Amino acid sequence: MRVVVAGSSGLIGTALVSSLRGDGHDVVRLVRRSSAGPDESRWDPQKDRLDIGILADADAVVNLCGVGIGDKRWTGAYKQLIRDSRIAATDVLAEAVAEAGVPVFVNASAVGYYGDTGDRVVDETSPSGTGFLADTCRDWEAATAPADDSTIRTVRLRSGIVLSPHGGLLGRLKTLYSFGLGGRLGNGRQYLSWISLEDEVDAIKFVLSRDDVAGPVNVTGPAPVTNAQFNGAVSRTMHRPAPWIVPGFALSALVGEFAQEGILAGQRAIPTVLENAGFRFRHNTIGEALDAALVR
C-alpha cells in the first residue's frame, strides 16, 4: 500500500510510520517544514495548503494531527489551539481525500467523545457526552464529512490513553513512580481507557486492511481500569510504593480546568467494533501492557 500520514512526528505517528515501512508499505509523511526527501510533502492545514497530487496514487490517508491535550494549562488560547490543530487538519484532508478519490481515510479521535461516563460501559453506539473534550471530539469527527459522504471508507479512531515509556501519560509518570511519588488522583474511581502503543499501531494497520470496518472505532484495551487500579498496577510493575493521594482541589489548582475533564473524569470504553471484526490484542490487561512498556 501507499499510505499518506499526517501527524507522523508524534508518539503514535512515529511508531506507525516505522511499522508500516517495516511491513514493506510506501509511506509519505505530510510535514509543516520544508520536505527533506521524496518521502515527505509539505502542507499547511491552517492555510488550506495541500498538494492534492500527493494523494493521486495513495491507497489510504491517516490523519493523527493534534497538539497534546494536557501539554499546557488550558487557557482560552490553548483550548482554541487544541480544536484548531485537529479540526482544521481534518477539514483539509477530508476535502482532499474526497476530491482525489482515496479509497480509505483513517482519522484520529478520542474516547473523550463520550464525556465523563462514570462506571457506565460505553461502546461505539453510545452517544456523545458533554464538556469541552466531548464537544471537540464531536466537531473533530464531523469534519470528516466530505470523505464520509462520498464513496470513501472513513474510520474514526476513538483512542484511549496510549501507554509507552517514551511519551504520553506513562512517559511523564514513570519518573515520579521511580522515586516513590506515585499515587491515586482524586477519589480514584474515574475510569481510564488505556491501550498499549503496540496495540494502537496494530489496530490502525488492522482497520487500514479491513474493508468491512468503517465509522467510529474505539481503540482501547478490552479491560479499562479505574485510576486506583492503574496506580496499583504501575506500583506493582515498577516495584515502587505509590501511597500518595492527590485531592481534586490540588489538581485543579495545579493544572486548572484540564483537571476536571482530563484527570478527574474518565471513560469506561470498550473496543466492540475491533473485537467483533476479529482483532487480537497483544495486551489484554493493564498488567500486560505495563509489563511490555516498563519491563520488557
Side-chain angles (χ1 to χ4, degrees):
M1 293 173 56
R2 187 168 193 266
V3 185
V4 176
V5 181
S8 61
S9 61
L11 177 69
I12 300 169
T14 300
L16 176 64
V17 168
S18 176
S19 184
L20 286 171
R21 286 176 173 166
D23 290 342
H25 300 295
D26 180 19
V27 180
V28 176
R29 301 171 60 231
L30 294 182
V31 298
R32 304 191 194 204
R33 49 170 172 74
S34 297
S35 58
D39 62 340
E40 295 184 351
S41 180
R42 188 174 185 179
W43 76 317
D44 188 345
Q46 300 301 324
K47 296 181 179 179
D48 197 13
R49 292 178 182 170
L50 172 65
D51 178 7
I52 197 170
I54 201 70
L55 306 184
D57 55 354
D59 297 296
V61 171
V62 179
N63 176 27
L64 302 173
C65 288
V67 300
I69 293 293
D71 287 0
K72 295 183 180 180
R73 195 175 185 89
W74 277 12
T75 62
Y78 195 68
K79 288 170 71 175
Q80 191 62 50
L81 182 59
I82 289 172
R83 288 180 56 83
D84 290 348
S85 64
R86 289 162 169 76
I87 297 168
T90 302
D91 276 333
V92 172
L93 285 172
E95 292 278 2
V97 161
E99 183 179 344
V102 179
V104 184
F105 182 38
V106 177
N107 200 76
S109 183
V111 293
Y113 175 91
Y114 302 109
D116 184 9
T117 68
D119 62 359
R120 174 172 54 92
V121 175
V122 293
D123 66 9
E124 292 85 354
T125 64
S126 301
S128 178
T130 59
F132 170 73
L133 292 180
D135 291 345
T136 297
C137 288
R138 189 165 52 247
D139 293 342
W140 191 7
E141 294 190 10
T144 66
D148 211 10
D149 293 343
S150 64
T151 59
I152 310 303
R153 180 170 67 88
T154 303
V155 180
R156 296 182 289 278
L157 305 169
R158 293 177 182 165
S159 293
I161 300 295
V162 178
L163 300 179
S164 166
H166 306 300
L169 175 68
L170 198 57
R172 296 187 184 101
L173 291 181
K174 65 177 184 177
T175 301
L176 291 175
Y177 277 87
S178 68
F179 286 103
L181 298 176
R184 192 187 78 197
L185 304 179
N187 61 27
R189 294 194 293 269
Q190 67 274 30
Y191 268 85
L192 178 75
S193 292
W194 56 270
I195 186 167
S196 69
L197 179 59
E198 294 90 344
D199 279 333
E200 175 83 15
V201 170
D202 284 351
I204 295 173
K205 294 195 298 182
F206 180 81
V207 301
L208 281 171
S209 67
R210 289 292 298 257
D211 291 339
D212 58 336
V213 177
V217 177
N218 287 347
V219 187
T220 63
V225 295
T226 65
N227 175 263
Q229 292 169 332
F230 175 77
N231 177 57
V234 177
S235 175
R236 288 190 296 273
T237 302
M238 296 190 67
H239 303 289
R240 293 290 187 273
W244 307 102
I245 298 174
V246 184
F249 71 85
L251 288 167
S252 295
L254 182 64
V255 300
E257 185 183 350
F258 171 69
Q260 295 302 316
E261 290 196 41
I263 300 176
L264 300 173
Q267 298 79 34
R268 192 178 184 181
I270 57 173
T272 300
V273 170
L274 281 178
E275 291 187 319
N276 287 348
F279 179 74
R280 298 295 181 90
F281 288 89
R282 300 192 199 190
H283 309 120
N284 288 279
T285 68
I286 188 65
E288 292 173 355
L290 291 172
D291 182 66
L294 296 173
V295 179
R296 284 184 280 154

